[in-house]
């Protein structure tokens, strides 16, 4: 009995946990004709040999693993491939080569509007969003209550979105994205939200999610933000991973 | 696509979003739902006025015949066109959430089926008003509605699969539907010698001479929309004169449309992996 217990402990300590998500040797290239040859007349005007193509290797041979409970920050200048990598991890873009293995449910949050419809009310938009996330019916009611109390937009809840200020939309977006997160969150620039008071609540919420054991891949231009919450910060440049470091003060 | 959706979740998404789109379509307009009725009604009145003197002798209950043809046609064209436009309207969702894209097609199919059912209710009221009696052959109507949905979504998915890559498709489809309107027996008489399989064997004879009008004859005779329209008319308007469709006929049509639908769904699924970068 004792030996079985010891064996169990050894297995836990030695065998690494299955990553929440992993990608290996992922490459993605975007190609566009330099002169847009959408129309037949343009195709006839420009002979094949004179046509030039713009292409960018948005992500080049990137491999990444996210362990359970780990928060990874993606950092780098504009156009370095952070968002493309995030979209590939989320399954929105298919990589040209390489593979992605997803072992847990994913919540995606790619910008602060999350696809809201202007004519729908907040209530309808939130229902639509969590429905498309594939959430079970019995959870819907609780999640809507959570979003409503977190977004704190008062009587606007039953008004069409076109009546909202930019700040209100962002608050609603953040609340929706994080109210009922899956085990893995993919977050793209989510912290540029609202006033200072709301930002403070956002931070508390994100740190709470981390304490609960959710994992995340988070894109940001602010190194200070990433250092505050992430366990590893991956710096990218021109589609490559150029460095991986562990911040000293990551909140646990 | 990332994430796994159970069948129950997918049905719920289609059900809820289909209704939501139905109500959203008319939100903010004064006439609301009436807009979905005014377009076929205007078409009906003009065609009825122009064609009635020529065809009312050969087609009994011509007003009902024409009305039914027009609402089936409207269902087909609106559904196929919406399959393409929904990818633009819901671009924000497509670019941000990794749900199965084919659900968008089913949402379009469901919304337009709701609209068609309201049109069919008006047809029933119209038929009652003109003193038409109802037969037990109406039991075939749900199967014919399934045929209509399979055809419209099958064609719609094929168009939607390529409409982001080739922006010409939406324009081309606008022209094709104009031509197809006259190559579908909406306004004029159509008869299908039963059973359908026996008629198919006469195609070589029909094509003899290879004149353009022979080709058109064959096309009008066998295109799926003609067959669907004929089936719907014979079970609702002419149950005594034309009798009910045979089991072989219904199974054959269902099989052909299912093959079209499955092939289109497979193409759409394959192509949908590239949608985000084609916007």
């Amino acid at each position: 009995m004792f030996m079985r217990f010891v064996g169990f402990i050894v297995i836990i300590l030695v065998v690494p946990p299955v990553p929440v998500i992993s990608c290996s040797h992922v490459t993605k290239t975007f190609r566009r004709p330099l002169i847009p040859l959408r129309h037949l007349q343009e195709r006839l005007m420009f002979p094949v040999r004179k046509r030039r193509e713009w292409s960018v290797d948005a992500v080049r041979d990137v491999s990444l693993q996210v362990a359970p409970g780990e928060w990874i920050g993606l950092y780098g200048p504009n156009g370095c491939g952070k968002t493309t990598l995030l979209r590939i991890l989320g399954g929105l873009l298919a990589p040209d080569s390489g593979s992605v293995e997803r072992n847990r449910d994913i919540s995606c949050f790619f910008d602060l509007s999350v696809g809201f419809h202007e004519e729908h009310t907040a209530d309808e938009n939130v229902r639509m969003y969590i429905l498309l996330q594939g959430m079970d019916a019995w959870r819907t009611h609780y999640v809507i209550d959570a979003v409503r109390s977190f977004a704190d937009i008062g009587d606007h809840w039953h008004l069409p979105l076109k009546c909202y200020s930019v700040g209100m939309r962002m608050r609603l977006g953040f609340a929706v994205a994080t109210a009922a997160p899956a085990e893995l969150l993919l977050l793209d620039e989510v912290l540029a939200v609202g006033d200072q008071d709301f930002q403070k609540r956002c931070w508390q919420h994100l740190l709470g999610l981390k304490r609960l054991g959710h994992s995340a891949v988070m894109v940001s231009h602010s190194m200070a933000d990433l250092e505050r919450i992430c366990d590893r910060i991956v710096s990218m440049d021109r589609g490559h991973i150029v460095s991986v470091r562990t911040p000293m003060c990551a909140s646990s | 696509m990332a994430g796994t959706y159970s069948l129950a979740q997918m049905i719920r998404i289609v059900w809820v979003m289909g209704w939501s789109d139905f109500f959203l379509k008319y939100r903010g307009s004064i006439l609301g739902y009436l807009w979905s009725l005014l377009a076929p009604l205007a078409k009906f009145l003009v065609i009825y006025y122009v064609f009635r003197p020529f065809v009312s002798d050969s087609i009994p209950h011509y007003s009902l015949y024409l009305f039914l043809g027009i609402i089936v046609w409207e269902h087909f064209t609106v559904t196929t066109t919406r399959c393409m436009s929904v990818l633009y309207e819901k671009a924000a969702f497509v670019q941000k959430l990794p749900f199965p894209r084919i659900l968008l097609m089913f949402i379009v199919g469901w919304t337009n089926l709701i609209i068609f059912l309201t049109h069919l209710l008006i047809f029933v009221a119209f038929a009652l008003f003109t003193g038409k009696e109802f037969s037990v052959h109406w039991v075939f109507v749900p199967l014919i509605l399934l045929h209509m949905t399979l055809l419209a979504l099958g064609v719609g998915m094929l168009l939607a699969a390529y409409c982001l890559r080739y922006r010409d498709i939406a324009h081309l489809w606008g022209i094709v539907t104009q031509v197809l309107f006259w190559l579908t027996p909406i306004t004029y008489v159509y008869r299908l010698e039963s059973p359908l399989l026996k008629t198919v064997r006469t195609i070589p004879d029909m094509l003899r001479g290879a004149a353009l009008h022979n080709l058109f004859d064959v096309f009008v005779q066998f295109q799926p929309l003609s067959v669907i329209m004929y089936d719907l008319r014979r079970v609702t308007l002419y149950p005594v004169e034309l009798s009910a469709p045979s089991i072989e006929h219904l199974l054959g049509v269902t099989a052909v449309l299912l093959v079209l639908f499955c092939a289109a769904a497979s193409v759409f699924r394959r192509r949908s992996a590239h949608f985000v970068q084609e916007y």
Side-chain angles (χ1 to χ4, degrees), chain A:
Chain A
M1 185 68 188
F2 177 72
M3 289 309 288
R4 284 178 71 182
F5 179 72
V6 170
F8 182 68
I9 296 294
V10 167
I11 286 173
I12 287 179
L13 293 176
V14 174
V15 178
V18 178
V20 179
I21 194 167
S22 65
C23 67
S24 122
H25 305 294
V26 164
T27 296
K28 181 75 187 174
T29 304
F30 293 115
R31 291 192 174 82
R32 295 271 187 282
L34 211 54
I35 306 156
L37 291 169
R38 285 245 164 102
H39 307 302
L40 184 65
Q41 66 267 30
E42 285 162 356
R43 285 176 187 274
L44 293 174
M45 278 161 62
F46 296 99
V48 177
R49 62 192 156 80
K50 283 194 178 174
R51 288 178 201 168
R52 285 193 296 160
E53 194 178 62
W54 166 88
S55 79
V56 61
D57 297 326
V59 176
R60 288 192 271 190
D61 196 27
V62 168
S63 299
L64 194 69
Q65 284 196 340
V66 182
E70 188 181 26
W71 283 54
I72 289 186
L74 292 179
Y75 180 78
N78 283 331
C80 70
K82 306 182 296 283
T83 300
T84 305
L85 179 60
L86 208 63
R87 285 182 161 183
I88 290 171
L89 291 175
L92 288 166
L93 281 175
D96 295 338
S97 64
S99 61
V100 180
E101 192 185 333
R102 302 176 190 91
N103 298 318
R104 297 284 192 279
D105 291 339
I106 297 175
S107 286
C108 298
F109 187 39
F110 283 97
D111 75 28
L112 294 164
S113 67
V114 294
F116 290 151
H117 198 291
E118 292 287 306
E119 292 288 341
H120 278 312
T121 64
D123 188 70
E124 290 166 332
N125 269 310
V126 173
R127 273 176 203 280
M128 215 64 82
Y129 182 83
I130 55 184
L131 191 68
L132 280 176
Q133 283 271 30
M135 199 172 289
D136 294 325
W138 61 270
R139 285 178 69 195
T140 308
H141 187 66
Y142 299 105
V143 174
I144 286 175
D145 282 350
V147 171
R148 192 171 180 181
S149 77
F150 192 84
D152 194 20
I153 50 173
D155 293 338
H156 275 68
W157 184 257
H158 293 295
L159 290 178
L161 215 71
K162 60 187 177 188
C163 307
Y164 285 39
S165 68
V166 176
M168 279 177 164
R169 284 164 201 241
M170 289 180 166
R171 286 157 69 145
L172 187 66
F174 186 90
V176 169
T178 54
E183 286 177 66
L184 173 67
L185 292 116
L186 301 178
L187 307 169
D188 190 0
E189 295 289 356
V190 291
L191 284 164
V193 185
D195 51 27
Q196 273 199 331
D197 182 48
F198 192 74
Q199 283 216 354
K200 200 172 157 190
R201 285 171 58 203
C202 290
W203 271 110
Q204 282 171 352
H205 192 63
L206 287 181
L207 292 168
L209 288 175
K210 192 178 176 189
R211 273 194 294 275
L212 286 171
H214 293 271
S215 312
V217 181
M218 193 171 172
V219 165
S220 178
H221 281 112
S222 163
M223 183 56 97
D225 285 349
L226 294 179
E227 282 179 341
R228 189 170 169 190
I229 197 165
C230 293
D231 303 301
R232 269 195 295 159
I233 297 176
V234 176
S235 296
M236 293 184 72
D237 192 22
R238 295 176 199 177
H240 285 296
I241 291 180
V242 287
S243 70
V244 180
R245 66 185 191 86
T246 310
M248 298 300 288
C249 54
S251 306
S252 57

